[in-house]
């Protein structure tokens, strides 16, 4: 009898161990590590908490997350967001920038007002949704901390941008100064190599060959048979055009032919037709707009450098 009870006890203990292992394994899988950033883990539970908060911002998030493909895209997008939060928080600590309770309280109050006024239309509906999602004060405070840290880092970078930097940035990006975009009715011949481009240029300028005829003969543009290389009105503020092509086209007077111009697509010979000049703002008129664009670009580049140096390990 004693031997039988002993066997039963061993069996029960074995079952308990197996059950405990299964529970631990399930918890481990459910709270898997999605990324490691500068030694800090981002776990599934953190992603789930973050998505709960996002549901406050977007009432349609529940439906979106039911679609597997949509959920995959959302999780990968916001994993990047969580990684950047860690990088920014760590950088703010390194720079010894102070995150005050007043700043966090102000963010939380602004966020609450935004939800009530712009998302849910009244406080009762907002509060009901807040409780329904079981969002905690700690989750909102974590969001506030990260957003205040982001603003502090942005302001830190702002301070390093001088008036000379803004002026240089405007010179490098003339599109920012455009008040009324001009255009040039342009044609082009596209070839693969610089030698081919110079050969085409000489045939046009020294051999006086017809531009449209030569375009149909040698251009690699797939539409050349239909349009003879004619591109229509090319506008100075059209970001779909390669900047080098725009500069080459607008440097010409009507009837002129450019020397070879290198772009992402290859080498071009450009011919200008009718042209309308671009009207530009005076720099001082748009200085603050240019500054804002420059500051945002500098901030983005700073974050890219943080990411590059940290080299996060992503397992999602």
């Amino acid at each position: 009898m004693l031997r039988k009870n002993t066997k039963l006890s061993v069996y029960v203990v074995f079952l308990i161990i197996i059950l405990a292992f299964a529970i631990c394994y399930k918890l481990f899988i459910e709270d898997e590590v999605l990324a490691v950033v500068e030694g800090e883990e981002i776990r599934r539970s953190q992603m789930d908490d973050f998505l709960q908060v996002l549901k406050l911002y977007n009432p349609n998030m529940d439906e979106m997350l039911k679609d597997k493909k949509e959920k995959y895209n959302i999780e990968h997008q916001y994993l990047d967001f969580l990684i950047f939060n860690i990088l920014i928080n760590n950088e703010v600590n390194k720079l010894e920038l102070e995150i005050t309770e007043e700043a966090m309280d102000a963010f939380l109050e602004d966020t609450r007002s935004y939800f009530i006024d712009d998302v849910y239309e009244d406080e009762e509906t907002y509060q009901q949704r807040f409780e329904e999602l079981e969002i905690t004060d700690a989750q909102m405070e974590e969001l506030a901390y990260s957003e205040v840290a982001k603003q502090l880092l942005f302001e830190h970078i702002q301070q390093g941008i001088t008036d000379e930097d803004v002026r240089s940035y405007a010179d490098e990006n003339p599109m920012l100064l455009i008040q009324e975009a001009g255009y040039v009715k342009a044609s082009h011949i596209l070839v693969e190599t610089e030698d081919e481009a110079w050969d085409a240029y000489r045939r046009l300028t020294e051999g006086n060959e017809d531009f449209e005829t030569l375009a149909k003969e040698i251009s690699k543009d797939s539409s050349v048979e239909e349009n003879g290389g004619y591109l229509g009105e090319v506008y100075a503020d059209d970001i779909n055009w390669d900047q080098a092509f725009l500069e080459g086209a607008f440097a010409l007077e009507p009837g002129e032919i450019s020397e070879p111009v290198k772009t992402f697509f290859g080498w071009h010979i450009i011919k200008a037709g009718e042209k309308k000049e671009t009207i530009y703002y005076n720099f001082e008129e748009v200085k603050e707009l240019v500054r804002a664009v420059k500051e945002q670009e500098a901030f983005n580049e700073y974050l890219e450098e943080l990411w590059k140096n940290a080299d996060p390990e992503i397992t999602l």
Side-chain angles (χ1 to χ4, degrees), residues 227-246:
N227 57 30
Y230 179 63
L231 299 170
E233 295 175 354
V234 176
Y235 281 85
D237 62 349
D238 189 341
I239 61 173
N240 293 310
W241 289 99
D242 188 289
Q243 185 62 33
F245 187 92
L246 286 178

Side-chain angles (χ1 to χ4, degrees), residues 244-284:
F245 187 92
L246 286 178
E247 291 175 2
F250 278 90
L252 302 171
E253 294 301 323
E256 288 185 338
I257 294 172
S258 74
E259 293 185 350
V261 174
K262 179 73 170 70
T263 73
F264 172 82
F265 300 98
W267 289 87
H268 307 257
I269 301 298
I270 305 169
K271 181 178 180 180
E274 178 186 324
K275 184 179 181 183
K276 178 183 177 182
E277 295 296 337
T278 297
I279 300 173
Y280 291 93
Y281 285 107
N282 179 280
F283 170 69
E284 292 299 327

Side-chain angles (χ1 to χ4, degrees), residues 57-173:
Y57 285 87
N58 185 351
N60 298 319
M61 184 65 74
D62 283 315
E63 287 301 315
M64 294 167 65
L65 291 172
K66 289 178 182 178
D67 182 277
K68 286 186 177 180
K69 184 176 180 181
E70 190 73 22
K71 182 178 181 181
Y72 176 89
N73 292 333
I74 289 170
E75 287 187 346
H76 279 76
Q77 175 186 350
Y78 285 106
L79 179 59
D80 287 354
F81 186 89
L82 292 173
I83 290 171
F84 274 121
N85 279 354
I86 291 175
L87 294 174
I88 291 169
N89 292 348
N90 290 347
E91 188 69 7
V92 165
N93 289 333
K94 288 177 188 175
L95 295 170
E96 298 183 347
L97 304 177
E98 184 181 4
I99 298 177
T100 65
E101 289 188 14
E102 290 80 7
M104 289 180 60
D105 289 343
F107 172 83
L108 290 170
E109 184 57 37
D110 289 344
T111 302
R112 178 183 174 83
S113 297
Y114 164 74
F115 285 139
I116 293 172
D117 297 337
D118 298 334
V119 181
Y120 296 99
E121 297 182 355
D122 61 71
E123 186 171 358
E124 183 179 350
T125 306
Y126 160 68
Q127 194 61 40
Q128 181 180 346
R129 179 62 170 163
F130 190 90
E131 293 171 2
E132 177 186 303
L133 293 171
E134 298 181 345
I135 295 172
T136 65
D137 290 340
Q139 286 172 284
M140 295 304 295
E141 287 170 4
E142 184 178 348
L143 175 65
Y145 186 95
S146 294
E147 290 303 311
V148 172
K150 188 183 301 179
Q151 184 60 33
L152 281 175
L153 185 58
F154 183 79
E155 291 170 359
H156 173 77
I157 293 167
Q158 274 183 314
Q159 294 170 7
I161 297 174
T162 65
D163 287 346
E164 290 74 17
D165 293 331
V166 177
R167 175 77 254 191
S168 296
Y169 190 73
D171 292 340
E172 295 164 5
N173 298 274

Side-chain angles (χ1 to χ4, degrees), residues 154 158 166 287-297:
F154 183 79
Q158 274 183 314
V166 177
K287 179 179 178 180
E288 293 311 309
L289 170 63
V290 176
R291 180 183 295 278
V293 176
K294 169 63 178 174
E295 289 171 349
Q296 188 60 55
E297 183 176 289

